[in-house]
Amino acid sequence: MTQIIKGANLPLGGEPMRVAVVRRSDGPEELRIDPAALLVAADDKVRGPEDLVFYNQPEHGGSGVRLTGSARAEGGVVADWLEIDPGRVEPDVRRIVVAASCEGATFGEVTGLYLRVVSAATGEQLALYAVEDATTETALLLGEFYRRDGGWKFRALGQGYASGLPRLAADFGFSVPGDDTAEDEREDEREDEREDDEADLDRAGDVLPDGAVTHEAAPVHRIPEPVAAPEPAAPAATPFGAVTPSVQAAPAAPPASLVVAKSGALGHLVMPPFGAPLARCNDLPSEMGPEFTPVEFSGCGKEDVDPGLTLPKGFVVVDVLKEDDRLIEVVTLTVRKRAWRQALISSMPQLRGVGVFHHDGHTPLRLRVDAWGRGAWTIRLRPVSTLRSFDGPLEGVGPDVLAYTGGEAGVRYRCQGDEKKEGFFGVNVLRRGGHQQSAFCRLNRGRGSGALPAGPRLLVVDTRGGWSMEPRQGGIGGFWTRRR
């Protein structure tokens, strides 16, 4: 029997093989699946950059593993093929791992996915593994061919990654030629030490001994303190429609701390001032989200909001203002007033956060704001066209949402952490329809690199502290970007 389940294995005869990554593609938007192979040595690592066979490097000269292209059949079936000849594989290669990545989507959206191995000479089926449990993964280890007792065997794997092919390859010791991430991390450590030294001097303050000479520390990047800006012009009247009785329209005058903060050469807008007119700020297409007049509401604790808006399908931005350090969550509601889609959740003190949700276009638009401890809050709904564009270096504090309309690109991230120099930092990518994938994740402060798929996309930043992002020239972005 050649069909096996996840974790099972089969013996092989060592003959040349053809391997197909198969799925069904019968929807209006075809998903791109990219097969790949990693040649792994006895230490479970690749020996060098040449040991990854993928769309930008389709053949391994020494071992003869190569991609041979795609084929289509009736019923929307698509197969991407590789060729493997065990007789040509170099002796120090112990395993050949077959993987696949999904561009701009997740494998949970892929239907009819399976891996099929056939004899290159006769076409006889040697192994078949159907993937039935994929969800949010953007890269999968499908199966592996490995040496055993002088021969070869095949094992079905089914292990997933939510951060794409670059992270999958990195787990096998693959490093990108010219990638300077390690140097970035060393510089980050040096900068942290400088900040700690400066903090020690600040604490010393007036207790320095007489005659002690202090030297000005080298300038370091710090999370800026918000500064006041001129009061915004009075906004035009906003039609709020039906409002839940316990919820009042937000006051027109925003707290001064909501406006502009600056740090070095990179200025950033924490969020547009409440009560001020908003202009279009990016080039997102109209199908990403409808245009409408922003509306604002204030309340305390747990309250439901009915904005009285009838909107077509698309994303809607939610700005959230809260002063205390208690948890606040904003979710959409079903017609039966059950929690449905989360727009934002945070326990960050003095929160000026930006969240987003996808509206289906036919369910009544209602929200629930739940602030623990009866805390006061203000929220605003606004169009995605008013989001900041990620087209150059940006920084911020706390949760945010950015608009991205560029091509495939590499990104350098930095998590500055909160006041305790701690904090999770994640960036998720949303595409039209609400589908989500992870672009970057870090559990503590520091730097890292990742890749973004081509836009249009929304980039959702999830963190409690300061962060920065900038496009990356060369390195991981240049290597992973598909060569047309």
Side-chain angles (χ1 to χ4, degrees):
M1 182 175 181
T2 58
Q3 183 166 355
I4 59 175
I5 62 173
K6 182 175 180 178
N9 61 74
L10 285 172
L12 298 171
E15 61 191 294
M17 298 171 290
R18 302 184 68 217
V19 182
V21 179
V22 187
R23 82 277 187 188
R24 187 176 300 278
S25 179
D26 51 4
E29 293 187 7
E30 180 175 338
L31 302 179
R32 171 181 283 168
I33 305 297
D34 290 306
L38 295 110
L39 285 71
V40 182
D43 62 354
D44 292 329
K45 304 294 183 183
V46 296
R47 301 162 301 169
E50 70 279 359
D51 283 346
L52 173 64
V53 178
F54 75 126
Y55 47 81
N56 280 348
Q57 194 166 265
E59 183 170 2
H60 188 282
S63 293
V65 179
R66 67 190 185 103
L67 302 177
T68 59
S70 298
R72 294 176 177 271
E74 293 182 2
V77 175
V78 180
D80 293 281
W81 289 91
L82 304 91
E83 286 184 354
I84 299 175
D85 183 354
R88 293 184 56 192
V89 176
E90 295 162 312
D92 53 346
V93 174
R94 308 305 298 172
R95 294 191 290 150
I96 301 173
V97 179
V98 177
S101 58
C102 188
E103 182 177 306
T106 66
F107 277 101
E109 302 171 53
V110 178
T111 58
L113 178 66
Y114 63 91
L115 184 75
R116 185 168 184 249
V117 184
V118 300
S119 167
T122 66
E124 176 190 0
Q125 180 170 292
L126 304 177
L128 179 69
Y129 165 52
V131 180
E132 299 175 342
D133 56 353
T135 55
T136 61
E137 301 88 349
T138 57
L140 284 175
L141 299 179
L142 297 171
E144 64 178 0
F145 300 87
Y146 61 100
R147 297 182 190 269
R148 180 61 55 87
D149 299 330
W152 288 84
K153 299 185 77 172
F154 171 78
R155 179 184 290 117
L157 295 177
Q159 179 183 344
Y161 290 75
S163 48
L165 184 60
R167 174 60 187 275
L168 181 155
D171 275 5
F172 287 91
F174 182 86
S175 60
V176 176
D179 185 13
D180 56 357
T181 300
E183 178 57 33
D184 285 347
E185 293 178 350
R186 287 192 291 270
E187 173 58 29
D188 193 60
E189 292 173 359
R190 292 191 289 267
E191 187 168 327
D192 291 342
E193 291 174 358
R194 290 195 295 269
E195 290 178 349
D196 292 340
D197 290 344
E198 183 175 325
D200 290 340
L201 287 174
D202 290 341
R203 285 191 293 271
D206 297 332
V207 301
L208 288 173
D210 292 340
V213 179
T214 61
H215 299 275
E216 184 177 354
V220 296
H221 181 74
R222 288 184 173 274
I223 300 174
E225 293 294 329
V227 297
E231 236 181 79
T238 302
F240 290 105
V243 181
T244 303
S246 61
V247 181
Q248 302 296 323
S257 59
L258 279 182
V259 193
V260 178
K262 294 182 179 179
S263 174
L266 300 177
H268 72 267
L269 199 63
V270 176
M271 71 165 62
F274 275 70
L278 301 177
R280 187 178 184 94
C281 297
N282 57 62
D283 297 323
L284 287 174
S286 58
E287 58 265 25
M288 290 293 288
E291 294 293 337
F292 60 94
T293 302
V295 292
E296 303 172 12
F297 306 95
S298 289
C300 293
K302 183 177 181 179
E303 300 188 21
D304 291 352
V305 177
D306 183 352
L309 294 173
T310 301
L311 300 177
K313 183 177 180 179
F315 291 104
V316 177
V317 179
V318 182
D319 296 327
V320 181
L321 182 155
K322 179 181 65 71
E323 295 298 333
D324 61 41
D325 60 356
R326 303 279 186 101
L327 184 73
I328 186 170
E329 182 180 26
V330 181
V331 298
T332 64
L333 300 177
T334 67
V335 292
R336 296 185 178 181
K337 295 190 175 182
R338 294 176 180 171
W340 189 14
R341 291 173 173 160
Q342 187 181 88
L344 182 144
I345 183 169
S346 181
S347 59
M348 180 177 172
Q350 297 184 340
L351 174 68
R352 284 90 174 96
V354 184
V356 70
F357 64 90
H358 189 266
H359 179 53
D360 60 18
H362 55 81
T363 303
L365 179 54
R366 296 187 180 93
L367 300 173
R368 175 167 295 154
V369 183
D370 190 355
W372 291 22
R374 297 291 300 170
W377 47 262
T378 299
I379 69 169
R380 169 177 54 196
L381 306 185
R382 59 182 169 108
V384 294
S385 63
T386 62
L387 289 171
R388 288 192 293 165
S389 292
F390 178 54
D391 51 11
L394 285 181
E395 61 180 19
V397 179
D400 206 340
V401 183
L402 309 172
Y404 182 65
T405 56
E408 297 175 12
V411 182
R412 178 180 287 120
Y413 301 95
R414 187 185 180 197
C415 173
Q416 296 166 294
D418 56 18
E419 65 279 358
K420 298 179 180 178
K421 297 184 179 179
E422 299 175 346
F424 169 83
F425 177 63
V427 178
N428 290 324
V429 180
L430 299 178
R431 67 184 178 94
R432 186 177 61 183
H435 303 294
Q436 175 175 289
Q437 69 184 86
S438 173
F440 183 76
C441 179
R442 189 178 181 95
L443 300 180
N444 47 42
R445 64 181 299 194
R447 300 174 191 249
S449 298
L452 290 179
R457 296 286 194 273
L458 300 183
L459 311 182
V460 181
V461 178
D462 181 13
T463 185
R464 280 174 53 89
W467 55 268
S468 64
M469 295 169 50
E470 61 178 311
R472 187 178 176 88
Q473 299 298 322
I476 191 167
F479 183 85
W480 294 108
T481 299
R482 185 185 301 275
R483 298 168 192 152
R484 303 297 179 187

